[in-house]
Coordinates of all heavy atoms in Angstrom, one line a residue:
E1 N 61.9 285.2 21.6 CA 61.6 284.3 20.6 C 61.7 284.9 19.2 O 60.9 284.6 18.3 CB 60.3 283.6 20.8 CG 60.1 282.8 22.0 CD 60.9 281.5 22.0 OE1 61.3 281.1 20.9 OE2 61.1 280.9 23.1
I2 N 62.7 285.8 19.0 CA 62.8 286.4 17.7 C 63.6 285.5 16.7 O 64.3 284.6 17.2 CB 63.5 287.8 17.8 CG1 64.9 287.7 18.3 CG2 62.7 288.8 18.7 CD1 65.7 288.9 18.2
F3 N 63.5 285.8 15.4 CA 64.2 285.0 14.4 C 65.5 285.8 14.1 O 65.5 286.8 13.4 CB 63.4 284.9 13.1 CG 62.1 284.1 13.4 CD1 60.9 284.8 13.2 CD2 62.1 282.8 13.7 CE1 59.7 284.1 13.4 CE2 60.9 282.1 13.9 CZ 59.7 282.8 13.8
S4 N 66.6 285.4 14.8 CA 67.8 286.2 14.8 C 68.5 286.2 13.4 O 69.2 287.1 13.1 CB 68.8 285.6 15.8 OG 69.1 284.3 15.5
N5 N 68.2 285.3 12.5 CA 68.8 285.2 11.2 C 68.0 286.0 10.2 O 68.4 286.1 9.0 CB 68.9 283.8 10.7 CG 67.5 283.1 10.6 OD1 66.6 283.4 11.4 ND2 67.3 282.2 9.6
M6 N 66.9 286.7 10.6 CA 66.1 287.5 9.7 C 66.3 289.0 10.0 O 66.8 289.3 11.1 CB 64.6 287.2 9.9 CG 64.1 285.8 9.4 SD 62.3 285.7 9.6 CE 62.0 284.0 9.0
T7 N 65.9 289.8 9.1 CA 65.9 291.3 9.4 C 64.8 291.6 10.4 O 63.8 290.8 10.6 CB 65.7 292.1 8.1 OG1 64.4 291.9 7.6 CG2 66.8 291.7 7.1
V8 N 64.8 292.8 10.9 CA 63.8 293.4 11.7 C 62.4 293.3 11.0 O 61.4 292.9 11.5 CB 64.1 294.8 12.2 CG1 62.9 295.5 12.9 CG2 65.3 294.8 13.1
L9 N 62.4 293.8 9.8 CA 61.2 293.8 9.0 C 60.7 292.4 8.7 O 59.4 292.2 8.9 CB 61.4 294.5 7.6 CG 60.2 294.6 6.7 CD1 59.0 295.3 7.3 CD2 60.6 295.2 5.3
E10 N 61.5 291.5 8.4 CA 61.1 290.1 8.1 C 60.5 289.5 9.4 O 59.5 288.7 9.3 CB 62.3 289.3 7.6 CG 62.7 289.6 6.2 CD 64.0 289.0 5.8 OE1 64.8 288.6 6.7 OE2 64.3 289.0 4.6
N11 N 61.0 289.8 10.5 CA 60.5 289.3 11.8 C 59.0 289.7 11.9 O 58.1 288.9 12.3 CB 61.3 289.7 13.0 CG 62.3 288.8 13.4 OD1 62.1 287.9 14.3 ND2 63.5 288.8 12.8
V12 N 58.7 291.0 11.7 CA 57.4 291.5 11.9 C 56.5 291.0 10.8 O 55.3 290.7 11.0 CB 57.4 293.0 11.9 CG1 56.0 293.6 12.1 CG2 58.3 293.5 13.1
M13 N 57.0 290.8 9.6 CA 56.2 290.2 8.5 C 55.7 288.8 8.8 O 54.6 288.5 8.4 CB 57.0 290.2 7.2 CG 57.3 291.6 6.6 SD 58.4 291.5 5.1 CE 57.3 290.7 3.9
T14 N 56.4 288.1 9.6 CA 55.9 286.7 10.0 C 54.6 286.9 10.8 O 53.7 286.0 10.7 CB 56.9 285.9 10.8 OG1 57.2 286.6 12.1 CG2 58.2 285.8 10.0
G15 N 54.5 287.9 11.6 CA 53.2 288.2 12.3 C 52.1 288.4 11.3 O 50.9 288.0 11.5
C16 N 52.3 289.2 10.3 CA 51.3 289.5 9.3 C 50.9 288.3 8.5 O 49.7 288.1 8.1 CB 51.8 290.6 8.3 SG 52.2 292.2 9.0
H17 N 51.8 287.4 8.2 CA 51.5 286.2 7.5 C 50.4 285.3 8.1 O 49.8 284.6 7.4 CB 52.8 285.3 7.3 CG 53.6 285.8 6.1 ND1 53.2 285.5 4.8 CD2 54.8 286.4 6.1 CE1 54.2 286.0 4.0 NE2 55.2 286.5 4.7
A18 N 50.3 285.5 9.4 CA 49.2 284.7 10.1 C 47.8 285.1 9.6 O 46.9 284.4 9.7 CB 49.3 284.8 11.6
R19 N 47.7 286.4 9.2 CA 46.4 286.9 8.7 C 46.3 286.9 7.2 O 45.2 286.7 6.7 CB 46.3 288.3 9.2 CG 46.2 288.5 10.7 CD 46.0 289.9 11.1 NE 47.1 290.8 10.7 CZ 47.0 291.7 9.7 NH1 46.0 291.8 9.0 NH2 48.1 292.4 9.4
L20 N 47.3 287.3 6.5 CA 47.3 287.5 5.1 C 48.0 286.3 4.4 O 49.2 286.2 4.4 CB 48.0 288.8 4.7 CG 47.4 290.1 5.3 CD1 48.2 291.3 4.9 CD2 45.9 290.3 4.9
R21 N 47.2 285.4 3.8 CA 47.7 284.2 3.3 C 47.5 284.2 1.8 O 46.5 284.7 1.3 CB 47.1 283.0 3.9 CG 47.4 282.9 5.4 CD 46.8 281.7 6.0 NE 47.1 281.6 7.5 CZ 46.7 280.6 8.3 NH1 45.9 279.7 7.8 NH2 47.0 280.6 9.5
V22 N 48.3 283.4 1.1 CA 48.1 283.1 -0.3 C 48.5 281.7 -0.6 O 49.3 281.1 0.2 CB 49.0 284.1 -1.2 CG1 50.5 283.8 -0.9 CG2 48.7 284.1 -2.6
A23 N 47.9 281.1 -1.6 CA 48.2 279.7 -1.9 C 49.7 279.5 -2.2 O 50.3 280.3 -2.8 CB 47.3 279.2 -3.1
S24 N 50.2 278.3 -1.7 CA 51.6 278.1 -1.9 C 52.0 278.1 -3.3 O 53.1 278.5 -3.6 CB 52.0 276.7 -1.2 OG 51.2 275.7 -1.8
W25 N 51.2 277.6 -4.2 CA 51.6 277.5 -5.6 C 51.7 278.9 -6.2 O 52.6 279.2 -7.1 CB 50.6 276.7 -6.5 CG 49.2 277.3 -6.6 CD1 48.1 277.1 -5.8 CD2 48.8 278.2 -7.6 NE1 47.0 277.8 -6.2 CE2 47.4 278.5 -7.3 CE3 49.4 278.8 -8.7 CZ2 46.7 279.4 -8.1 CZ3 48.6 279.7 -9.5 CH2 47.3 280.0 -9.2
Q26 N 50.9 279.9 -5.7 CA 51.0 281.3 -6.1 C 52.3 281.9 -5.7 O 52.9 282.7 -6.4 CB 49.8 282.1 -5.7 CG 48.5 281.7 -6.3 CD 47.3 282.6 -5.9 OE1 47.2 282.9 -4.7 NE2 46.5 283.0 -6.8
S27 N 52.7 281.6 -4.4 CA 54.0 282.1 -3.9 C 55.1 281.5 -4.7 O 56.1 282.2 -5.0 CB 54.1 281.7 -2.4 OG 53.2 282.3 -1.6
L28 N 55.1 280.2 -5.0 CA 56.2 279.6 -5.8 C 56.3 280.2 -7.2 O 57.4 280.4 -7.7 CB 56.0 278.1 -5.9 CG 56.2 277.3 -4.6 CD1 55.7 275.9 -4.8 CD2 57.6 277.3 -4.2
L29 N 55.2 280.5 -7.8 CA 55.2 281.1 -9.2 C 55.2 282.6 -9.2 O 55.3 283.2 -10.3 CB 53.9 280.6 -9.9 CG 53.8 279.1 -10.2 CD1 52.5 278.8 -10.8 CD2 55.0 278.6 -11.0

């Protein structure tokens, strides 16, 4: 169930995002 359109690093970063979150408005800005 890997994300084939992402890089190897980006795939693993999705796992980290489950723990380290930031408000969506902060990401947009």
Side-chain angles (χ1 to χ4, degrees):
E1 297 285 345
I2 64 170
F3 300 112
S4 59
N5 61 326
M6 293 183 178
T7 67
V8 170
L9 178 62
E10 288 168 343
N11 265 269
V12 181
M13 287 175 68
T14 64
C16 298
H17 274 289
R19 296 182 296 106
L20 301 175
R21 298 180 180 178
V22 67
S24 57
W25 68 267
Q26 290 183 318
S27 295
L28 288 171
L29 296 177

